[in-house]
Amino acid sequence: MTKPITQPKNIKDIFMFLEQLRLTNIHFSLRSSTDDSISVDFTLVGCRVEVDFFDDHIEFSYFTGSESVHDDWKLMQDLLDKHWSDD
């Protein structure tokens, strides 16, 4: 079990959250895909997590699934066709 991480309340807590991830040896990346948030992305065993920091709240999504490796490029193309849109 890992150390508890203090629940952030808003974007002011992002530095505290990042420091707690560092202390837990969880590597992360930052990105911004909207004008009003900063996202922290990290991967755990079997789970990818995206945490979005807004001025007044925090949201997160997590994705679990197969961690298997594939070499069939047709599968890659099928994934792109099914899950990508440039709309």
Side-chain angles (χ1 to χ4, degrees):
M1 185 162 172
T2 165
K3 296 178 188 177
I5 292 182
T6 305
Q7 180 180 349
K9 303 285 189 243
N10 54 48
I11 201 161
K12 293 177 187 175
D13 295 333
I14 194 167
F15 291 114
M16 172 198 63
F17 181 74
L18 297 177
E19 182 60 20
Q20 290 179 335
L21 290 178
R22 282 187 194 98
L23 291 172
T24 311
N25 291 318
I26 295 175
H27 300 279
F28 59 87
S29 62
L30 301 176
R31 67 181 165 80
S32 177
S33 43
T34 65
D35 292 341
D36 62 343
S37 72
I38 296 174
S39 301
V40 179
D41 300 337
F42 57 94
T43 303
L44 306 171
V45 176
C47 183
R48 184 172 54 84
V49 183
E50 298 176 356
V51 184
D52 297 311
F53 286 78
F54 295 87
D55 276 342
D56 59 348
H57 71 284
I58 305 297
E59 298 175 355
F60 71 93
S61 301
Y62 65 95
F63 308 91
T64 58
S66 172
E67 298 281 329
S68 58
V69 177
H70 302 277
D71 61 3
D72 179 2
W73 196 257
K74 182 180 179 331
L75 176 59
M76 172 62 80
Q77 189 61 53
D78 290 345
L79 288 169
L80 292 168
D81 292 343
K82 182 177 180 179
H83 297 284
W84 174 254
S85 172
D86 59 1
D87 296 339

